[in-house]
Amino acid sequence: MSSEEDLASLARGAGDGDSEAWAEIYRMMAPSIFRLCRRALPTRQDAEDATGEVFLRARLRLSQYDDSRPFAPWLYRVAANHCWDELRKRRRRPELDDSEDEIAKLEAEAPTPQEAVLINESKRSIRRAIATLDDRTRLVVILRYFAEMSYAEIGEVLGISSNFAGVLLLRARRALRTRLGP
Amino acid sequence: MSASDVKHVDELTIMRLAEGELSRDREDATRTHLIECARCRAGYEALKAETELLRAAVHEHAEALPDHIRPRHADISWVLVAMLIFGTLGVSSLWTRYVAPVVDGMETVGLDGASVATSVLIQSLLWSGWTDMLMKFIQGVVLLASLALAGFIAHRTWRRWRSSAASFSLMLLVLGGVVLPAARATAAVIELDADVYTLRAGEVIETDLIIKGKEIRIEGTINGDLIVAASIVQITGEVRGDVLGFAESIEIAGRVGGSVRTASMRLEIEGDVARNVTSAGRTLRFSSGSNLGGSVIAAGREVFFDAPVPSDIIVAAKTTEIRARVSGSVLVAAESLSIGPEGAIGGTTKYYGPKEAEVDPQAELGSPIVFERVEEEDHERPVISWVTAFFYFWTAAFIFGSVIILLMPEASEVIITKHVPEYGRSFVYGVLSTVILFVLGGFVTITVVGAPLGLTTLFVLGVGLYVAQVFVAAYIGREILGTPTSASAGLIRFALGLFLVMVAKSIPILEFVVPAAIALWGFGAISVYTQDRMRAGAKTAEV
C-alpha cells in the first residue's frame, strides 16, 4: 500500500467521522504542511499557527474532497489557499497585475543565457533569497517546487491565469539570479 | 541554415517546456527547434538544472519541526514495552557483569551469609541455575525484542485498515507469538492444570513441571524444576531442580535437589532440601529428621527449627523456636525467640524483640546473643498516643500530598475533578492495575529477572497506592467545601478530606476494607489518567 493510497483511505475514514484516521493523517502530513507554511509565511510562529488552521479548515471541508484523487495535493491546496489568505490579510500594497503585457514582452525576448542560471549556489542561500521575494512571487515558487502544483493550480489559488503563474515563476527565478548573482 | 538565422525560443517557453507546462503543439514545435539549435538546447538544459536546484532547496529540511508536529514513530505503549524489554536486558547484563563478580568475590573472602543483603539477593531468592537461566533469558529477550519489533511494524501497517477486529486479532497473534516462544525458549516444560494430580512413584518427568490444581502429589521424580500453585502440595518423591510453590499447605517429605521458595500458609519440611529455603507464610517447620543444605529466610507467624541448618537463618516471625544446630549465623526479628536444649548456634546471633530470648542453659551458643530491644506493640495504648500517632500520620500524608498537588497541579486537577468522581470506573481500574502490577512484580522478583526489577515494580505499586489517598482526600474535601478558588483553598480542602479519610481508615472493624477501597479507588483514578495521557500522547494530533 503506498502512502498515497493510505492517505486516501484514511481521508475516507476521517470523512465518515473516524477521528483516529484524522489523527493519522495529521501525523503523516503535518510535517510537510508545516514546512510549506514555514517557507510561505514570514515567521515560524505564523507557520505553526497556520498548520493548525490548515488542518482545521481541511477537516471542515473534508466532504469536498474527491477520494478518487490523491489526498496530499488536495491538502496542499487547502494550505496554499490558507497561506495566500494570510499573506493577503497582511499585505500593504496590491501587486501590479500586468500579466498580458508581460507575457508578450517575455515572449519577445532572447533565450536564457545559460551561464546566468543558478547552478552553484548553496541550497541555504537559495532559501534565504526566496524568503526575500515579495509574498506572491515567493508563494508561486513554494507552490511550484515544494507542493509540486501545476501552473493552473497555482493560478487558481492566486486568482490569476496559469500563463501568468508561469510569468511570476520566471520573474522569481530571474530575481533570485540577480540577488545571488555575482 | 545556420543556428544564428533561427528565431530563438524565449526563456518563458523554454522554462515551461523544462517544467512540462507547455501545450502539446507548442511542445512539439519547441522540441523540434531544440534539436536544431544548440544555444536554445543549452538554455533548456540550464533551466532544467535550475529547476532541480530550486526543488532541492525548498525541500531540504532546514530546521527542526515543532514538538507537536514532529511525527511520533511509536505509540507510547510500544515505547514502554520496548523500554521494559531493554531495561530488563540492561539490568541482567549489569548483574552478570558487575554485581555477580563482586558477590562471588565477597563469597571467596568469606563475606557471605552474615550480610543480609547478600543473603537476600544471592543465596536464596534467585533461581538455582541463574547463569543458565540468564542465557536463556537473554535469548528470550532478543526473541521478544524482535517479535515486539515485528509486532510494532505490523501494528503500524494494520492500523490503517481501521478494523478493530483485525487489530484485535493481530494483538492476540503478537501476544501469542511473544508468550509462547518465550515459554518455549526458557525450557522445555510440561504445563498441567489438574484438580487432583499425582505423579506416581516410579514415574519420571524429564523437564520442568508447571502445574496448577487443588491437590498435587509428587511421588515420582522430576528432573527439572517444579512450579506449583495449589491448595495442598505433597512431595514425597524427588524434585531435582527447585521448587517454587504457592499453596495453602506444602509438605516436603521427599527430596529437593535445588532450593525451595514458597508463599504458603504452611510449609513443612520433613525430607531433604539440598539448597536454600525461602518462605513466606504462617507456619514453617523443619521437622527432626529433615536435612537442609543451605540457608533459610522466612517470614511468618511461627517458625520452628527441629533439624540442623548448615548455614544462616534470617527470620521475621512472631514466634521463633530453634531446637537444633544452626551452623551459620542467626538473625531474628520476633516477639519471642527460644533456643531449646538441643539448640546450638555456630555463628553470631542477633535478635530484635520486645524481650530477651529464652535460651536453655544446655544450648550451645558460638557467641552471646546480641539483643536489641524493640518495644512490643501496646494493644491498649492510651488515647493520647493514638491521637499523636494519628496526628503524625496525618501531617506526613498532608505534606506528601501537598507536594504532589503543588508539583503536578494540572495532573492533580484532572485526576481530582475528572477521574476520582468516576468512582466505579476508577475502582475497577484500580483493582486491575494493582493485581497486574502485583502479579508482575511478584513474578519478576521470584523468577525471571530477579529481585531488583521486581522489587522496583512493587515499590512503585506501593507508592502509587499511598499517593492514591491524596486524590481521594482532595476530592472529598472539595465535595464538602466546594471548588477551591486558589491553591491554598485547595490545600485546605485536601487537609479536611485527608482528615476524614484517615478517620475512616481507623474505624476498627473496617480497618482493612476502607484503606483498601480508598487506595484502589485513587490508584484507579491515577491509572485512568495515565492511560488517557498515553492515548493523548498518541493523538496530540487531534486539531
Side-chain angles (χ1 to χ4, degrees):
Chain A
M1 227 154 94
S2 78
S3 72
E4 197 35 76
E5 283 166 42
D6 272 6
L7 274 169
S9 78
L10 283 169
R12 252 195 306 280
D16 296 338
D18 180 352
S19 61
E20 183 63 26
W22 186 250
E24 185 63 26
I25 289 178
Y26 184 92
R27 274 192 280 275
M28 291 169 76
M29 289 302 296
S32 303
I33 295 299
F34 171 77
R35 291 200 171 99
L36 172 70
C37 297
R38 181 74 186 94
R39 305 242 185 282
L41 300 172
T43 70
R44 187 177 168 89
Q45 189 56 51
D46 290 336
E48 281 186 39
D49 296 346
T51 306
E53 282 160 36
V54 165
F55 275 89
L56 189 64
R57 219 165 148 169
R59 192 174 197 183
L60 295 175
R61 292 183 190 176
L62 211 49
S63 56
Q64 296 169 19
Y65 162 64
D66 168 8
D67 63 13
S68 65
R69 311 183 61 168
F71 180 78
W74 180 81
L75 189 62
Y76 277 137
R77 197 142 77 231
V78 175
N81 281 319
H82 180 78
C83 290
W84 181 230
D85 290 349
E86 279 299 305
L87 291 170
R88 258 191 311 188
K89 262 191 242 163
R90 304 159 191 230
R91 197 153 43 146
R92 275 145 291 166
R93 55 188 169 76
E95 266 82 18
L96 306 165
D97 238 0
D98 42 4
S99 53
E100 295 310 318
D101 290 356
E102 188 161 358
I103 294 168
K105 202 170 74 196
L106 284 170
E107 284 183 342
E109 275 181 16
T112 324
Q114 67 181 92
E115 61 284 355
V117 302
L118 300 170
I119 297 283
N120 292 321
E121 309 306 327
S122 74
K123 290 177 195 142
R124 185 187 162 86
S125 56
I126 291 176
R127 275 197 303 276
R128 283 198 181 148
I130 290 174
T132 64
L133 294 172
D134 73 77
D135 290 345
R136 188 170 64 170
T137 316
R138 182 175 72 248
L139 197 55
V140 172
V141 173
I142 300 307
L143 296 185
R144 176 67 196 163
Y145 297 119
F146 187 89
E148 310 280 351
M149 289 166 77
S150 70
Y151 292 5
E153 287 167 329
I154 296 172
E156 264 175 52
V157 171
L158 301 182
I160 55 177
S161 71
S162 72
N163 279 338
F164 191 53
V167 170
L168 286 179
L169 197 59
L170 181 59
R171 215 193 253 170
R173 291 170 73 145
R174 286 182 174 174
L176 292 175
R177 288 176 208 151
T178 320
R179 278 164 217 214
L180 293 165
Chain B
M1 195 162 66
S2 78
S4 58
D5 299 333
V6 183
K7 185 181 179 299
H8 290 298
V9 181
D10 63 277
E11 187 180 2
L12 184 61
T13 307
I14 292 187
M15 182 188 79
R16 296 188 65 144
L17 175 69
E19 301 207 332
E21 285 278 350
L22 213 52
S23 64
R24 190 84 208 158
D25 45 341
R26 287 191 68 193
E27 181 176 340
D28 290 346
T30 314
R31 284 201 186 280
T32 316
H33 171 76
L34 287 192
I35 294 168
E36 294 164 357
C37 175
R39 182 169 165 205
C40 287
R41 205 161 52 235
Y44 169 80
E45 295 298 337
L47 278 171
K48 231 175 143 176
E50 191 180 58
T51 297
E52 285 316 311
L53 184 60
L54 286 167
R55 190 169 277 145
V58 293
H59 271 107
E60 192 175 65
H61 296 174
E63 57 183 298
L65 291 168
D67 280 342
H68 59 97
I69 288 173
R70 192 172 303 147
R72 284 158 200 277
H73 292 296
D75 288 349
I76 288 187
S77 50
W78 282 103
V79 175
L80 284 179
V81 169
M83 272 166 62
L84 190 70
I85 289 170
F86 290 108
T88 44
L89 190 61
V91 168
S92 50
S93 60
L94 201 70
W95 182 275
T96 36
R97 196 171 290 180
Y98 300 105
V99 182
V102 172
V103 167
D104 287 345
M106 282 167 73
E107 243 164 304
T108 317
V109 296
L111 268 178
D112 61 328
S115 152
V116 178
T118 320
S119 301
V120 169
L121 287 175
I122 313 306
Q123 285 202 317
S124 235
L125 277 179
L126 299 176
W127 199 280
S128 59
W130 170 250
T131 333
D132 190 34
M133 188 66 206
L134 184 79
M135 282 321 292
K136 288 175 185 163
F137 173 68
I138 289 176
Q139 289 163 2
V141 166
V142 172
L143 191 72
L144 275 173
S146 347
L147 278 167
L149 191 69
F152 169 61
I153 293 165
H155 175 75
R156 298 266 310 167
T157 319
W158 275 59
R159 65 180 304 160
R160 311 273 153 75
W161 287 43
R162 311 253 52 89
S163 152
S164 52
S167 310
F168 184 67
S169 35
L170 177 76
M171 293 303 283
L172 280 184
L173 208 69
V174 171
L175 211 64
V178 167
V179 172
L180 291 179
R184 295 273 144 74
T186 47
V189 292
I190 294 177
E191 291 170 54
L192 289 173
D193 189 349
D195 230 21
V196 179
Y197 172 81
T198 307
L199 180 69
R200 306 226 171 269
E203 288 178 345
V204 178
I205 290 181
E206 292 296 340
T207 61
D208 295 347
L209 174 65
I210 299 178
I211 186 163
K212 180 168 92 62
K214 280 202 180 119
E215 293 179 33
I216 312 294
R217 291 193 178 78
I218 307 297
E219 294 163 5
T221 304
I222 297 173
N223 279 329
D225 298 330
L226 169 66
I227 299 174
V228 57
S231 291
I232 298 172
V233 180
Q234 284 181 327
I235 301 173
T236 47
E238 179 171 7
V239 177
R240 296 235 162 96
D242 290 352
V243 171
L244 193 62
F246 308 90
E248 270 176 52
S249 164
I250 300 179
E251 281 176 35
I252 299 177
R255 194 187 132 72
V256 175
S259 295
V260 171
R261 279 180 295 271
T262 64
S264 167
M265 290 292 276
R266 188 171 144 269
L267 170 62
E268 194 135 340
I269 295 177
E270 292 153 1
D272 302 347
V273 176
R275 298 187 61 178
N276 311 307
V277 172
T278 309
S279 146
R282 182 187 280 265
T283 308
L284 166 63
R285 184 190 298 274
F286 291 90
S287 306
S288 58
S290 65
N291 281 301
L292 180 67
S295 62
V296 176
I297 297 180
R301 190 180 278 260
E302 311 143 332
V303 181
F304 304 108
F305 294 94
D306 288 319
V309 177
S311 184
D312 307 321
I313 290 178
I314 298 175
V315 173
K318 196 165 179 183
T319 312
T320 306
E321 293 181 18
I322 299 176
R323 297 187 287 247
R325 178 167 186 86
V326 177
S327 308
S329 300
V330 172
L331 177 70
V332 173
E335 280 180 31
S336 77
L337 166 64
S338 72
I339 300 174
E342 306 86 17
I345 294 172
T348 56
T349 307
K350 184 145 195 189
Y351 171 49
Y352 298 88
K355 55 181 194 289
E356 296 258 6
E358 295 163 26
V359 184
D360 191 278
Q362 281 178 288
E364 291 171 38
L365 297 185
S367 57
I369 294 179
V370 180
F371 171 63
E372 200 158 307
R373 188 179 296 277
V374 178
E375 285 307 322
E376 194 170 4
E377 279 201 23
D378 190 346
H379 292 294
E380 287 167 30
R381 260 178 300 183
V383 175
I384 187 71
S385 80
W386 185 85
V387 171
T388 319
F390 184 91
F391 177 74
Y392 278 137
F393 278 114
W394 179 85
T395 314
F398 178 71
I399 294 173
F400 180 74
S402 305
V403 169
I404 287 186
I405 290 177
L406 295 176
L407 275 185
M408 311 187 301
E410 282 148 32
S412 309
E413 192 65 25
V414 174
I415 294 174
I416 295 165
T417 57
K418 184 157 171 240
H419 301 310
V420 177
E422 298 171 343
Y423 47 84
R425 183 179 182 217
S426 292
F427 187 77
V428 171
Y429 262 86
V431 172
L432 287 177
S433 318
T434 307
V435 168
I436 290 169
L437 280 177
F438 184 75
V439 169
L440 195 76
F443 184 72
V444 168
T445 304
I446 47 180
T447 57
V448 192
V449 198
L453 185 72
L455 292 177
T456 310
T457 312
L458 293 177
F459 177 73
V460 168
L461 174 65
V463 171
L465 289 173
Y466 185 72
V467 172
Q469 66 175 0
V470 170
F471 299 114
V472 174
Y475 165 71
I476 291 172
R478 284 171 186 222
E479 283 296 291
I480 294 168
L481 294 179
T483 307
T485 47
S486 66
S488 53
L491 290 184
I492 289 170
R493 280 151 182 77
F494 168 53
L496 173 71
L498 189 61
F499 179 80
L500 294 175
V501 162
M502 293 193 61
V503 169
K505 281 167 80 170
S506 37
I507 298 170
I509 311 164
L510 301 174
E511 61 190 341
F512 175 72
V513 178
V514 174
I518 290 172
L520 294 174
W521 176 14
F523 189 57
I526 299 172
S527 312
V528 174
Y529 172 78
T530 315
Q531 199 199 4
D532 280 2
R533 275 292 297 267
M534 286 179 177
R535 285 214 190 122
K539 261 200 243 181
T540 341
E542 228 31 64
V543 199

